[in-house]
Amino acid sequence: MKKNIKLAKHAGFCYGVKRAVETTKRLKSENEQKQIWVLGELIHNSHVINELSKLGIKTVYELPEGNGGICVIRSHGASPEVFEQIQKKGYEIVDLTCPDVKKVQQKAIGVVQQGYMLVIVGKPEHPEVAAIRANAQKYGENIIVAPDIDSLKAYETKIKEHKKIGVVVQTTQRIENLKNIVDYLTGITKELLVYNTICASTSLRQNEARNLAQESDLMIVVGSKKSANTTHLAEILKGITNTIHIETFEELKNYDEEILKAKNIGVTAGASTPENIINGVIKELEKYN
C-alpha cells in the first residue's frame, strides 16, 4: 500500500532550544582554550548531548572546584542559589535560559510579591519547574507545585484559607490541563489570577499535531522520552488516533504491523528533537512503500 507520509510544519527545535544549542557550540569555537561546562543536560536529547561531548563540551551535574572556564545555564533555567555557587567557584556564567521560561519566573515572582499563594502547574521534578519555584521562593513560601487536579486537591484546605491564588504554568504543559485546574480553583477561591505561560511554540506545535492526527491513521511522535513537551504531544495524540512515540528511526521496526496497516501517516517531533533525527524517521518510513 502506498503511504501518504506528512511531516508537521512545526516539528523539531523551537527557538529557545535552537538558541541554546547554537550558542553553546559557538562558545566552544570562540573559546578553544577554555573548558565549557553545561550544568545538567542542555536539552533533553541524548544525541545532542553526545554531539556536544565530542566537541569537548562537558555536561556535569556538579561543577568541580577550581577548574574555571565557562558554565552554561541550560534552557530550563536555574535557581538563584545555583547562580551564586557558580560565581563563587570562579566560573564565567553564560545564561541560556529560554526567554519564555524567564517570563514564567518573573510572573511567578510577581504573583508572590503581590501576596497571592502561587500555584505552579507542572511536574515538580522537572528542572524548569524547580527553577521557577526556586526563583519565586526568594519572595515567599506560599507555593504549591501540582501537575494535575488530583495533586492539587491535597492542598484544598490551604487554598481555601488563603483565598487569593495566582497561577503560572510550565511552558510545555497541555492547555487542557491548565483549563481543568483553573475550573477547579474557580470553585474554591475568592480571587484567582491566571497567567497562561504555555509558550507559543508549544501551543502551535500541539494544535498543528491535533489537526494532522485527525486526518491520519497513525501518528509518529519523535523525541526523547525524558522531554516533557514530547511526551505531552504523544498523550494528546493518543486520544485522537493510533500514536507511537519513538526516539530514533531504529525503533520503527518494533511497529511494523501498525505502519504496514496505515495509509495516512503523520509525523511530528518535540522541541528538543534535531532535524537529522526527524529526517532519519521520514526516510525509514518511505522504505515501507
Side-chain angles (χ1 to χ4, degrees):
M1 189 197 320
K2 175 75 175 167
K3 309 290 180 194
N4 176 28
I5 301 161
K6 192 170 181 182
L7 174 64
K9 186 180 175 185
H10 297 94
F13 282 1
C14 65
Y15 157 73
V17 166
K18 189 177 181 186
R19 167 180 169 267
V21 173
E22 289 180 353
T23 305
T24 303
K25 287 179 180 178
R26 190 174 71 247
L27 274 173
K28 185 60 183 173
S29 66
E30 292 173 354
N31 300 273
E32 289 181 13
Q33 302 310 311
K34 287 186 181 179
Q35 179 62 61
I36 310 294
W37 310 83
V38 183
L39 197 55
E41 291 186 347
L42 185 67
I43 64 170
H44 283 148
N45 189 281
S46 58
H47 297 273
V48 173
I49 305 306
N50 291 337
E51 186 185 353
L52 296 176
S53 178
K54 285 173 185 173
L55 294 172
I57 298 162
K58 294 191 176 182
T59 299
V60 293
Y61 295 91
E62 191 170 331
L63 287 168
E65 296 279 356
N67 280 50
I70 298 170
C71 178
V72 170
I73 300 294
R74 58 184 173 172
S75 49
H76 303 103
S79 68
E81 290 76 18
V82 166
F83 278 88
E84 287 170 21
Q85 288 166 13
I86 295 167
Q87 285 177 323
K88 280 180 184 173
K89 287 184 176 182
Y91 292 86
E92 180 186 338
I93 297 176
V94 174
D95 185 3
L96 293 183
T97 306
C98 171
D100 285 324
V101 173
K102 281 277 190 193
K103 285 176 192 171
V104 189
Q105 292 176 1
Q106 292 307 314
K107 292 292 186 191
I109 288 167
V111 165
V112 174
Q113 286 177 326
Q114 290 174 69
Y116 288 80
M117 173 181 279
L118 174 64
V119 172
I120 304 169
V121 180
K123 296 181 177 178
E125 69 282 1
H126 194 280
E128 178 193 323
V129 175
I132 294 165
R133 180 177 195 163
N135 277 276
Q137 270 178 330
K138 282 195 79 176
Y139 302 90
E141 291 296 324
N142 275 317
I143 300 169
I144 296 167
V145 179
D148 49 42
I149 288 177
D150 288 338
S151 304
L152 201 53
K153 281 180 179 174
Y155 302 97
E156 187 167 313
T157 303
K158 197 176 176 183
I159 291 166
K160 285 177 176 176
E161 284 171 358
H162 203 82
K163 295 178 184 176
K164 288 175 63 175
I165 306 297
V167 179
V168 299
V169 200
Q170 183 181 352
T171 57
T172 53
Q173 276 286 316
R174 294 176 298 150
I175 189 69
E176 294 88 351
N177 198 30
L178 174 61
K179 285 176 180 175
N180 290 338
I181 282 176
V182 169
D183 285 347
Y184 167 71
L185 287 171
T186 301
I188 61 170
T189 55
K190 294 291 182 186
E191 190 176 334
L192 185 60
L193 176 64
V194 180
Y195 290 109
N196 176 5
T197 50
I198 297 171
C199 77
S201 172
T202 297
S203 299
L204 194 64
R205 190 184 306 265
Q206 290 179 358
N207 288 335
E208 188 188 17
R210 276 190 193 93
N211 293 336
L212 185 54
Q214 283 165 358
E215 57 188 53
S216 302
D217 310 312
L218 176 66
M219 281 298 294
I220 297 172
V221 179
V222 187
S224 171
K225 302 285 185 358
K226 291 196 289 184
S227 162
N229 77 85
T230 312
T231 53
H232 287 148
L233 263 181
E235 286 166 7
I236 290 166
L237 301 180
K238 279 174 182 172
I240 302 170
T241 191
N242 190 17
T243 301
I244 60 175
H245 178 179
I246 60 170
E247 296 196 357
T248 62
F249 75 87
E250 287 94 343
E251 293 174 59
L252 286 172
K253 64 179 181 293
N254 301 327
Y255 301 96
D256 276 346
E257 194 176 331
E258 289 97 323
I259 296 167
L260 288 168
K261 278 182 186 174
K263 185 175 189 295
N264 298 308
I265 300 174
V267 180
T268 187
S272 53
T273 309
E275 190 177 354
N276 65 311
I277 299 291
I278 301 167
N279 291 340
V281 169
I282 296 293
K283 282 179 183 174
E284 192 66 20
L285 284 171
E286 285 169 350
K287 292 179 184 177
Y288 284 84
N289 283 327

